[in-house]
Amino acid sequence: MFFSTILISAITFSVGSFLLIDFQFRSTLNREITAAYEENDILRFAMNKELETINDRLLYKYDTDSADKLEAVRNQLILQVAQSATINTSKGTIPFRLNDSAYHMVFDSINMDVDNSILKQLSDRQTGYEIVKSDSHYYIHTAGPVTIQVETLYLENFRDITFLFESRKDQYQTFYYLMFAMVAISGLVVFVVSRWLTGPLKKLSRATKQIANGKFDQRVSIQSRDEIGKLSKDFNKMAVKLEQMVEELREASRRQEDFVDSFAHELKTPLTSIIGYADMLRSKKMDPEQVILSANYIFEEGKRLESLSMKLMDMIILKNQQFSMKHIHARDFFASIQGAMLPLFEKENISFSVRAEDAILLMEPDLMKTVFLNLLDNSRKAMDRGGYIALLGKWDADHYIIIVADNGKGMEESELSKITEAFYMVDKSRARAQGGAGLGLAICSEILKLHGAAMEFQSVPGEGTTVTIQLKGAEKI
């Protein structure tokens, strides 16, 4: 940027200055040439009048003399007229030379070593000029014919234009000084401006390198509203989004690692017990009661592994399968859930309340029933004995919401964002004792995603938990 700007400025300034100086020089030179022609015309006119008078007197006075004598007298008179001819201008007396028809010099008022070859290029009625240099001076050498009857004389005059070339030389010298000053000043200005313009770009470059090295918290300060400022703003947006994506990837990787660890742990515990009891049955003699107890434990742990594998299969199927939605009456749906859970709740002395406002729900009934059976079962597990669980369905503006509320143990707020992760259990020992593997809410979350439904948890430790599900596509009756 710096060198290209300086180069373009220097070339533009040089070309413009040279053209301006050359134009001024040529314009002044043309005026001087016109003035030289005018001086030549004045001289030729004056000489022509004087010579015509002399020629008439000679013919009248010396008509009886010989031609040679007449020619000699005539030449003498021409010389006298030339010597006496003076024309003054603002620059002084005009210097001139007079030549005969054979191009021999008759008179010279200026001693100048300049040949008269220009005369040979002129016709009897043509004038011309050339620029000549003599003793470091420049002249406009103008020539034109003076016709006296049948004889042609040639008059040359010289107009000094040395000042014009000296002026051009001074202008060039001034231009060189100005050029140097312009390059120095513009160079300083361009250097400062280029540093100012490229400063944010250097900051962006450093921030980009830091992000490439894994430091995703890098941001650049926005100091202007121009294109670079917009670029900095877009860069910061990109950095924020990139940091969020990396954090999400890290979180996903952590969840995957937790999933694998939890899955391995869930398999290890029952398999260790199964292998241990099977080895006892194989290697030891045991009484019938111990054999039955060992076989029963193997059976229970095997059923638990079967349940775990089936739930994992449900999650895989849910992620890779399309289900057709049906219109279900809300009261019928709630009645089927009440019928499935009421005997278990009565057995554990839990009060179970079900209320539903009329609506037509759009869902896959079997999958959605699994959701609420899991939620109600989790509420049951949150109570030691007794308690209260409610299943409510009602309209909230244009949305139909279903609420599952209990007065169980509740959860800490930090637990709420994790409970839908696979294998996550708030109370692991209690959950395993009740046959849980931490997959119920993960399956519920996948089912609700299929329905485009939202699930929200609210919980207070010691007071209970409320789960609110907002359904889409419900219609009022």
Side-chain angles (χ1 to χ4, degrees):
M1 179 183 292
F2 174 78
F3 287 108
S4 61
T5 304
I6 292 299
L7 182 61
I8 293 172
S9 300
I11 291 175
T12 304
F13 183 74
S14 299
V15 172
S17 299
F18 273 109
L19 290 175
L20 181 62
I21 293 172
D22 184 70
F23 174 78
Q24 184 177 3
F25 174 80
R26 291 185 179 278
S27 177
T28 307
L29 179 61
N30 289 333
R31 289 198 298 268
E32 291 296 320
I33 291 171
T34 301
Y37 273 128
E38 290 175 352
E39 291 174 354
N40 185 268
D41 290 340
I42 293 171
L43 282 169
R44 286 190 297 115
F45 179 78
M47 290 293 295
N48 190 61
K49 288 297 184 181
E50 290 291 333
L51 291 174
E52 283 181 354
T53 303
I54 292 172
N55 191 62
D56 291 340
R57 291 204 307 267
L58 285 174
L59 292 175
Y60 174 76
K61 186 176 181 180
Y62 300 103
D63 57 350
T64 60
D65 293 343
S66 63
D68 292 337
K69 184 179 179 180
L70 183 63
E71 181 67 24
V73 175
R74 184 172 177 275
N75 291 338
Q76 184 66 29
L77 290 173
I78 290 174
L79 179 60
Q80 292 176 2
V81 170
Q83 289 175 342
S84 63
T86 57
I87 297 178
N88 296 318
T89 64
S90 59
K91 293 186 176 182
T93 303
I94 302 174
F96 67 93
R97 291 192 312 203
L98 191 62
N99 301 269
D100 60 19
S101 58
Y103 310 119
H104 297 140
M105 188 171 58
V106 176
F107 172 78
D108 184 6
S109 68
I110 181 171
N111 294 321
M112 191 178 301
D113 187 17
V114 178
D115 61 33
N116 59 359
S117 58
I118 188 176
L119 303 177
K120 299 176 182 180
Q121 303 175 24
L122 302 177
S123 64
D124 292 343
R125 296 181 177 275
Q126 185 180 15
T127 58
Y129 83 95
E130 63 179 351
I131 296 176
V132 296
K133 183 179 181 182
S134 177
D135 298 330
S136 355
H137 284 263
Y138 292 90
Y139 298 91
I140 298 176
H141 177 201
T142 312
V146 180
T147 304
I148 304 175
Q149 294 184 354
V150 295
E151 185 178 5
T152 300
L153 302 177
Y154 293 95
L155 188 143
E156 304 170 82
N157 65 299
F158 296 85
R159 184 175 179 85
D160 191 351
I161 57 170
T162 304
F163 77 94
L164 189 57
F165 285 88
E166 289 178 349
S167 176
R168 185 174 69 171
K169 181 180 178 181
D170 292 340
Q171 288 176 344
Y172 279 141
Q173 189 172 12
T174 303
F175 158 72
Y176 294 140
Y177 290 140
L178 289 175
M179 181 70 180
F180 177 78
M182 187 275 295
V183 170
I185 295 173
S186 62
L188 179 62
V189 172
V190 172
F191 177 77
V192 173
V193 172
S194 62
R195 291 275 296 182
W196 175 68
L197 288 176
T198 57
L201 296 179
K202 291 180 180 179
K203 292 180 181 178
L204 283 171
S205 178
R206 287 195 296 268
T208 303
K209 291 178 181 178
Q210 292 294 326
I211 289 178
N213 291 329
K215 298 180 180 179
F216 300 101
D217 59 343
Q218 295 296 310
R219 303 292 184 271
V220 293
S221 59
I222 301 174
Q223 301 177 347
S224 64
R225 296 184 178 181
D226 56 10
E227 289 78 2
I228 295 179
K230 292 179 181 179
L231 177 61
S232 300
K233 185 177 180 180
D234 293 339
F235 176 87
N236 288 338
K237 289 182 180 178
M238 180 200 70
V240 170
K241 190 66 176 178
L242 186 61
E243 186 177 16
Q244 291 175 350
M245 292 175 63
V246 170
E247 190 60 33
E248 290 174 359
L249 288 173
R250 288 174 178 169
E251 184 65 20
S253 177
R254 184 192 64 78
R255 289 197 299 268
Q256 288 181 353
E257 291 178 358
D258 292 344
F259 180 90
V260 173
D261 292 342
S262 300
F263 182 65
H265 182 77
E266 292 296 327
L267 288 179
K268 180 180 178 181
T269 302
L271 284 175
T272 301
S273 300
I274 290 172
I275 292 172
Y277 280 103
D279 184 59
M280 289 174 59
L281 291 173
R282 183 190 65 173
S283 60
K284 295 181 180 180
K285 289 184 178 181
M286 305 172 66
D287 57 48
E289 184 178 354
Q290 290 178 326
V291 171
I292 292 173
L293 289 175
S294 298
N296 183 63
Y297 193 84
I298 292 172
F299 174 78
E300 288 179 353
E301 291 301 304
K303 293 293 289 183
R304 185 179 174 205
L305 286 177
E306 181 186 33
S307 174
L308 177 63
S309 62
M310 292 300 295
K311 288 183 177 181
L312 288 173
M313 185 63 68
D314 288 341
M315 290 183 65
I316 295 172
I317 291 173
L318 287 172
K319 291 181 179 180
N320 297 278
Q321 187 171 343
Q322 297 293 328
F323 296 91
S324 59
M325 303 297 175
K326 299 178 182 179
H327 288 91
I328 305 297
H329 198 287
R331 293 186 184 277
D332 295 338
F333 178 70
F334 278 67
S336 65
I337 296 175
Q338 184 179 23
M341 296 301 295
L342 188 59
L344 180 60
F345 289 160
E346 289 178 347
K347 181 180 178 181
E348 297 190 9
N349 196 27
I350 296 174
S351 175
F352 184 38
S353 173
V354 179
R355 293 196 307 272
E357 294 182 4
D358 284 336
I360 300 297
L361 307 179
L362 182 63
M363 62 174 66
E364 205 294 316
D366 293 332
L367 291 178
M368 195 59 76
K369 187 175 181 179
T370 300
V371 171
F372 292 103
L373 291 179
N374 269 291
L375 293 175
L376 292 169
D377 192 52
N378 284 344
S379 295
R380 177 187 66 82
K381 292 175 183 178
M383 302 176 184
D384 291 327
R385 293 288 293 183
Y388 173 80
I389 298 175
L391 176 63
L392 307 175
K394 63 179 183 177
W395 285 99
D396 181 19
D398 294 331
H399 299 284
Y400 195 83
I401 60 174
I402 301 177
I403 300 172
V404 177
D406 65 65
N407 62 347
K409 291 186 175 183
M411 295 175 287
E412 297 289 344
E413 186 175 353
S414 59
E415 305 284 347
L416 296 180
S417 61
K418 305 175 183 178
I419 56 178
T420 57
E421 297 178 11
F423 295 111
Y424 184 82
M425 292 172 280
V426 177
D427 188 346
K428 293 180 174 57
S429 59
R430 180 183 179 90
R432 290 195 180 98
Q434 294 178 338
L439 289 173
L441 288 179
I443 293 174
C444 291
S445 179
E446 292 297 329
I447 293 173
L448 292 175
K449 284 181 182 179
L450 289 174
H451 288 76
M455 180 167 59
E456 180 183 354
F457 289 87
Q458 293 179 341
S459 186
V460 178
E463 295 184 11
T465 302
T466 300
V467 184
T468 303
I469 296 175
Q470 187 181 76
L471 297 177
K472 290 186 176 181
E475 299 175 3
K476 292 183 178 181
I477 300 177

